[in-house]
Amino acid sequence: MTLFFPSHDRTGIAVTSTVVPMTTSASAAASPEAAIRGNTVTDRLVGANEQYASAFTDPGMDARPVLHVAVVACMDARLDLHKALGLELGDCHTIRNAGGVVTDDVIRSLTISQRKLGTRSVVLIHHTGCGLEAITEDFRTELEMEVGQRPAWAVEAFRDVDQDVRQSMQRVRTSPFLLHTDDVRGFVFDVKTGLLREIDPA
């Protein structure tokens, strides 16, 4: 896939253009023509869905997770949670964000998960080499300088992944909205070995 980035001055008059070749997992897997059905990666995903749907059958289950567990994890593309945890379709709720940190929105999802859909256990998963270890809360200031508006949300950057898992566990355990806080466990996933390391909450 090739992206064209025009360079222009403030008047909007094009001056030069830069051609940047892009390689993705989609285009690396096969020839460009076969890997991307249309002109974008999204087109390729839609095409893959058509193939998936052609063999799809209704699993006959409702929205309640079979194992009554919710997993909160980082959005990092290296984490294949279902394979890493031996999960099947319908087993769990999966809530992902940058860092896998417990934010207000994660509490919202967990509250609905527990109170309306029957989950009882919470598993928190951070990982080694997380991008949030490489930035700081100054990112919000940088955004404000660029776009003229300061984000209302916190970056939730951290330096100690173990301590951040402990903080996330504490946020779950002290939330007044959650019904079940007795089975909350936190882990760090090693992206090099695929192993989970449990974090002592103390």
Side-chain angles (χ1 to χ4, degrees):
M1 175 170 61
T2 302
L3 297 183
F4 294 86
F5 294 96
S7 301
H8 55 78
D9 58 23
R10 290 290 181 181
T11 64
I13 300 173
V15 178
T16 62
S17 63
T18 304
V19 179
V20 180
M22 300 291 290
T23 301
T24 67
S25 60
S27 60
S31 65
E33 294 79 11
I36 301 179
R37 192 164 170 261
N39 295 321
T40 69
V41 172
T42 303
D43 291 323
R44 182 255 181 190
L45 299 181
V46 172
N49 172 255
E50 292 174 359
Q51 291 185 340
Y52 171 78
S54 67
F56 184 81
T57 56
D58 183 353
M61 59 181 67
D62 63 20
R64 294 174 175 266
V66 173
L67 299 182
H68 309 290
V69 62
V71 179
V72 180
C74 184
M75 66 184 187
D76 193 288
R78 294 169 291 181
L79 275 66
D80 188 339
L81 289 176
H82 275 68
K83 283 187 178 180
L85 301 176
L87 295 168
E88 300 291 339
L89 180 68
D91 280 349
C92 73
H93 280 160
T94 304
I95 304 162
R96 300 183 72 160
N97 65 20
V101 296
V102 175
T103 61
D104 286 346
D105 193 61
V106 168
I107 293 295
R108 176 187 70 90
S109 294
L110 288 174
T111 301
I112 295 169
S113 177
Q114 289 193 355
R115 290 181 175 269
K116 297 300 182 181
L117 295 166
T119 61
R120 300 184 62 92
S121 300
V122 179
V123 174
L124 307 172
I125 301 178
H126 284 31
H127 66 92
T128 58
C130 184
L132 285 189
E133 296 179 83
I135 61 176
T136 69
E137 294 297 324
D138 289 341
F139 181 56
R140 297 172 70 224
T141 302
E142 294 168 10
L143 287 174
E144 182 180 17
M145 295 295 290
E146 180 181 333
V147 305
Q149 182 176 339
R150 189 174 183 83
W153 38 262
V155 178
E156 297 281 359
F158 55 85
R159 290 291 175 268
D160 184 333
V161 65
D162 290 22
Q163 183 55 34
D164 205 66
V165 172
R166 292 188 188 97
Q167 176 177 271
S168 290
M169 284 191 280
Q170 183 67 9
R171 287 178 178 176
V172 171
R173 288 174 171 159
T174 58
S175 172
F177 306 113
L178 300 178
L179 293 173
H180 309 290
T181 58
D182 54 322
D183 187 15
V184 180
R185 295 169 68 180
F187 302 84
V188 174
F189 177 85
D190 190 318
V191 297
K192 301 295 186 183
T193 67
L195 289 172
L196 290 175
R197 175 172 58 84
E198 186 158 11
I199 303 301
D200 187 341

